[in-house]
Amino acid sequence: MTIEQLLDEMWQDYVKISPASQQIYDLFEAEGNKVVNDHIALRTFRHPRLGISQLAKAFVDMGYVEKDEYHFEQKKLYAKHFEWPDNSQPKIFISELKIEEFSEGLQSLVNGLVEQIDETTLSVPNFSCIGRPWKVSHQVYSELINESEYAGWLSAFGFRPNHFTVSVNHLKSFSEVSDVNVFLKEKGFQLNSSGGEVKGSPEQLLEQSSTLAQQVETSFEDGSHTVASCYYEFAKRHSLPSGELYHGFVAASADKIFESTDRQ
Ligand code: NI
């Protein structure tokens, strides 16, 4: 499997549960833009069988290089980002939920999910888009989400892109994140306004916005329920004093972006 094949498989999986992202992609292309992907975000649990290194392995094996790390104290998350050497492929941002900092109840529910994954599944190269590798009831989902929105999301959707991100730098018909926001709102899409619609600033070298996660009908062991799935993000990067484009992330902004999948 080549990196192009893996990224394409991830996109196909992502738009299946977030068709609005495909619609937005098509709207940009219809305006004469070539949509370039800035980064893909993945989520996992910090657990001996999972964690960032397990999810990153396929990408590192294909040539991705580990870069910076990020701490989200309040949400009890830790993250790292990985870059393709010449940045011709999207960055991969992987976060993990520090389950050891949660209640015994949450830890035992998460362990119950993780134990259902067999060894073979853990090492498939496309683990980043296999979806939910466990059975989960809406009851368990609800208990998890009451303690952590992130844990609830992960229990329902499993391993798949949480979001893709349009590089605003590469759009021809928009130069600012705020212009993209106006365009999307005119087209009827809802944006995440937690911490303001545009997160970050030119001084922080990264400006971002995102749609709110699409509400989708999802099946659980005890019936179907509508839950928040995935969203689309828009990022504009600025140059370092050296003139080189900044490729990192801003923890304070990412902290708010995580809330795009919260219950509304
Ligand atoms: Ni992101």
Side-chain angles (χ1 to χ4, degrees):
M1 180 183 265
T2 66
I3 189 61
E4 288 81 6
Q5 286 168 328
L6 176 59
L7 297 174
D8 183 57
E9 198 178 318
M10 289 166 71
W11 172 260
Q12 297 306 331
D13 172 74
Y14 164 70
V15 293
K16 252 190 288 172
I17 55 166
S18 183
S21 301
Q22 181 73 62
Q23 288 166 17
I24 294 170
Y25 179 102
D26 293 343
L27 284 168
F28 282 139
E29 296 250 319
E31 300 268 315
N33 299 289
K34 172 89 191 81
V35 176
V36 171
N37 188 18
D38 179 86
H39 68 270
I40 303 170
L42 299 167
R43 295 178 170 188
T44 190
F45 291 120
R46 177 179 285 181
H47 183 285
R49 305 186 71 208
L50 296 172
I52 293 174
S53 54
Q54 184 271 338
L55 199 47
K57 189 174 182 305
F59 297 99
V60 171
D61 286 350
M62 287 181 185
Y64 270 88
V65 179
E66 184 177 318
K67 292 288 178 176
D68 298 333
E69 60 169 10
Y70 310 90
H71 297 272
F72 304 93
E73 297 303 337
Q74 214 182 349
K75 291 187 172 66
K76 300 173 180 166
L77 292 167
Y78 172 71
K80 282 183 183 174
H81 96 262
F82 299 77
E83 289 178 19
W84 191 252
D86 66 358
N87 274 302
S88 63
Q89 300 293 352
K91 286 167 270 296
I92 307 290
F93 181 94
I94 308 179
S95 57
E96 63 181 16
L97 189 70
K98 300 187 279 181
I99 61 169
E100 72 278 11
E101 294 183 12
F102 286 88
S103 73
E104 301 255 320
L106 180 139
Q107 293 184 45
S108 105
L109 290 176
V110 168
N111 288 333
L113 299 178
V114 179
E115 281 160 13
Q116 296 178 48
I117 317 175
D118 62 55
E119 277 313 308
T120 325
T121 305
L122 282 172
S123 53
V124 295
N126 61 345
F127 189 81
S128 55
C129 56
I130 56 157
R132 186 205 289 172
W134 46 59
K135 290 184 168 147
V136 66
S137 64
H138 189 259
Q139 167 73 31
V140 166
Y141 163 82
S142 303
E143 283 182 43
L144 290 173
I145 207 164
N146 282 335
E147 203 172 331
S148 158
E149 289 279 350
Y150 185 107
W153 187 92
L154 191 48
S155 75
F157 295 103
F159 303 95
R160 57 182 5 140
N162 170 264
H163 62 270
F164 273 71
T165 310
V166 175
S167 166
V168 175
N169 298 66
H170 289 86
L171 293 177
K172 284 203 176 76
S173 61
F174 302 92
S175 59
E176 299 298 332
V177 172
S178 55
D179 300 335
V180 169
N181 291 350
V182 169
F183 174 73
L184 294 174
K185 285 190 286 186
E186 276 172 5
K187 298 287 180 187
F189 295 97
Q190 276 189 294
L191 301 179
N192 171 349
S193 56
S194 174
E197 282 179 357
V198 180
K199 283 88 173 146
S201 63
E203 294 70 36
Q204 289 173 303
L205 305 174
L206 176 62
E207 295 175 88
Q208 296 163 275
S209 72
S210 69
T211 60
L212 280 179
Q214 195 156 8
Q215 299 290 322
V216 295
E217 185 82 358
T218 305
S219 66
F220 294 90
E221 291 306 292
D222 46 357
S224 278
H225 294 266
T226 300
V227 298
S229 65
C230 298
Y231 58 93
Y232 213 2
E233 188 180 304
F234 314 93
K236 179 175 178 176
R237 296 186 177 276
H238 295 270
S239 296
L240 293 157
S242 65
E244 197 200 339
L245 208 58
Y246 176 66
H247 285 290
F249 292 83
V250 177
S253 302
D255 188 79
K256 298 296 177 200
I257 296 265
F258 276 117
E259 294 171 17
S260 305
T261 56
D262 285 8
R263 290 161 293 177
Q264 296 302 313

